[in-house]
């Protein structure tokens, strides 16, 4: 059984967008955040939908929508909040990561 984690969070705007996409695709409202090596700043965020949380996942829940992060990625995003931002440049999920020392202009990669 996976328990809710205080180490990550999902904003209400992001939860609403995940719920809308998941409903349209007929999938569970579970967003997976992972971190891979690469990107212009050293690490990059990856988002995808999940069918279920894995046993070692950290889980945050907002308005019935879950954000899941694997234990390895959690070390790189601890304390982060996933938000959803709409602007003239487009709309995207964004990670507000308090441990990132720097990031790229598009917000998809970071350095520690």
């Amino acid at each position: 059984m996976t328990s809710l984690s205080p180490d990550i969070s999902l904003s209400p705007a992001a939860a609403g967008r995940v719920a809308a996409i998941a409903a349209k695709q007929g999938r569970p409202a579970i967003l997976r955040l992972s971190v891979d090596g690469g990107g212009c700043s050293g690490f990059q965020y990856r988002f995808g939908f999940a069918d279920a949380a894995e046993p070692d996942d950290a889980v945050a829940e907002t308005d019935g929508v879950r954000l899941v992060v694997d234990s390895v990625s959690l070390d790189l995003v601890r304390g982060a909040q996933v938000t959803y931002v709409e602007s003239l440049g487009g709309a995207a999920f964004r990670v507000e990561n308090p441990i990132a020392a720097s990031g790229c202009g598009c917000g998809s990669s970071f350095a520690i």
Side-chain angles (χ1 to χ4, degrees), residues 8-58:
I8 55 168
S9 64
L10 185 66
S11 75
R17 185 65 181 147
V18 170
I21 294 169
K24 194 174 207 178
Q25 295 182 358
R27 299 190 63 148
I30 303 172
L31 179 67
R32 176 168 296 283
L33 168 62
S34 60
V35 176
D36 292 335
C40 53
S41 295
F43 295 102
Q44 60 188 19
Y45 302 113
R46 295 271 186 216
F47 290 103
F49 282 86
D51 292 322
E54 298 295 327
D56 72 331
D57 283 342

Side-chain angles (χ1 to χ4, degrees), residues 11-93:
S11 75
R17 185 65 181 147
V18 170
I21 294 169
K24 194 174 207 178
Q25 295 182 358
R27 299 190 63 148
I30 303 172
L31 179 67
R32 176 168 296 283
L33 168 62
S34 60
V35 176
D36 292 335
C40 53
S41 295
F43 295 102
Q44 60 188 19
Y45 302 113
R46 295 271 186 216
F47 290 103
F49 282 86
D51 292 322
E54 298 295 327
D56 72 331
D57 283 342
V59 178
E61 189 169 322
T62 301
D63 301 331
V65 175
R66 289 184 160 208
L67 170 66
V68 296
V69 181
D70 65 89
S71 60
V72 174
S73 296
L74 183 62
D75 287 338
L76 299 169
V77 296
R78 193 172 307 278
Q81 181 180 53
V82 174
T83 62
Y84 182 73
V85 181
E86 293 184 36
S87 69
L88 291 175
F93 291 103

